[in-house]
Amino acid sequence: MSDSLAAMELAFERRGTGAPLILVHGIGHHWQGWLPVLDRLAAARTVFAVDLPGFGVSPELPARIPYTAESLADAVESFCARLGIREPAVAGNSLGGYIALELASRGVVRSAVALSPAGFWSRAELLYCQAMLRAMRASARSLPLEQLENRQVRTVASGLLVAHPARLDPAALMAATQALANAPGFDETLESFSGLMPPAPPKSPVTIAWGEHDRLLLRRQAVRAARWSGQRVKLLKGCGHVPMSDDPELVARIILESA
């Protein structure tokens, strides 16, 4: 692993006591995406919710290190080493879900939970995902934030990611929109998706769960994820691509049962 990655300091939120649990967000998001479930998880675990390099308020990757799911997983692994976190459980959503599975493939985590993980798409589904995310990024950069105070605008802005936009806190959606608009690692990471394949077979136990109403990574991709993992994928009923806001209790329960 790169020495420059080992020296990186990622932004993170730490809460709770107990066995360590690392939370990893998706592309264009930030650690605050886990806020709906954070205190539920912290009641039973020491939780570290991290901002990936080039996202949230974490610094960008060092020069000459490309933005790929693998290099971002390296950064999470280095983060754990820097803080002396040994064999944590890890949970991730979307790109973060892929990173969780990648760390399980390396055998460096005790267990991994992946919520609608990236990487199990067909070629057409990949192109659709990239197109939708580019459109969301463009919208985040052009939409005046105050318009998100309007319920109908919030529904349009977040309907691709959540099944129940009305449950989103407007302030949280504004912050997430800013994170998406400003993330310097977004474009290169999104381009790297073109070469993203499922990780090697896991060396640590994994749990995969998919939003019933996922409109970004369509739920039929769960069939491929089940084939890869050799086990049935859990269905998150009533949830979209980012399920933490749709049903915090369900998501927290699945993570704690598996972490």
Side-chain angles (χ1 to χ4, degrees):
M1 190 175 298
S2 166
D3 290 339
S4 53
L5 269 182
M8 279 196 74
E9 294 191 17
L10 300 183
F12 68 97
E13 175 76 0
R14 174 177 177 165
R15 295 188 190 178
T17 57
L21 169 64
I22 311 297
L23 301 178
V24 189
H25 62 76
I27 185 172
H29 218 336
H30 54 177
W31 74 257
Q32 289 89 339
W34 294 99
L35 278 172
V37 299
L38 203 54
D39 286 337
R40 287 177 171 87
L41 298 174
R45 301 286 189 274
T46 301
V47 181
F48 299 84
V50 302
D51 276 343
L52 291 170
F55 297 94
V57 296
S58 282
E60 296 181 53
L61 282 172
R64 297 182 298 280
I65 295 181
Y67 279 92
T68 64
E70 290 77 13
S71 64
L72 295 174
D74 288 344
V76 175
E77 190 175 347
S78 293
F79 167 82
C80 293
R82 285 190 74 255
L83 270 64
I85 305 170
R86 296 184 178 180
E87 294 188 343
V90 61
N93 173 227
S94 195
L95 169 62
Y98 183 97
I99 289 170
L101 297 178
E102 169 66 22
L103 294 173
S105 295
R106 299 177 186 184
V108 297
V109 293
R110 187 176 72 252
S111 62
V113 177
L115 309 173
S116 292
F120 294 96
W121 40 47
S122 66
R123 178 67 179 170
E125 290 162 351
L126 163 65
L127 294 174
Y128 164 79
C129 171
Q130 289 176 311
M132 292 300 100
L133 287 170
R134 287 190 191 99
M136 287 183 61
R137 165 91 149 177
S139 176
R141 288 180 149 184
S142 62
L143 181 70
L145 287 178
E146 59 271 16
Q147 288 192 19
L148 291 172
E149 295 175 1
N150 181 289
R151 184 171 178 173
Q152 290 181 322
V153 174
R154 289 202 302 275
T155 298
V156 172
S158 60
L160 190 68
L161 297 181
V162 297
H164 304 283
R167 297 179 188 175
L168 285 174
D169 175 60
L173 180 57
M174 289 182 189
T177 301
Q178 285 184 300
L180 174 58
N182 298 330
F186 181 90
D187 292 330
E188 190 177 342
T189 302
L190 185 62
E191 288 303 316
S192 79
F193 282 5
S194 296
L196 194 63
M197 302 289 288
K203 298 176 182 176
S204 307
V206 301
T207 298
I208 301 175
W210 221 281
E212 178 185 26
H213 303 298
D214 196 325
R215 301 183 183 98
L216 182 65
L217 299 181
L218 306 179
R219 61 182 270 193
R220 61 175 173 259
Q221 296 174 38
V223 176
R224 300 178 200 121
R227 194 177 303 127
W228 173 83
S229 64
Q231 62 190 48
R232 191 182 184 95
V233 172
K234 298 178 185 291
L235 186 67
L236 299 171
K237 291 188 177 180
C239 292
H241 180 65
V242 182
M244 296 84 81
S245 297
D246 285 323
D247 195 335
E249 184 176 347
L250 173 62
V251 170
R253 185 171 71 249
I254 286 178
I255 292 174
L256 290 175
E257 286 175 352
S258 307

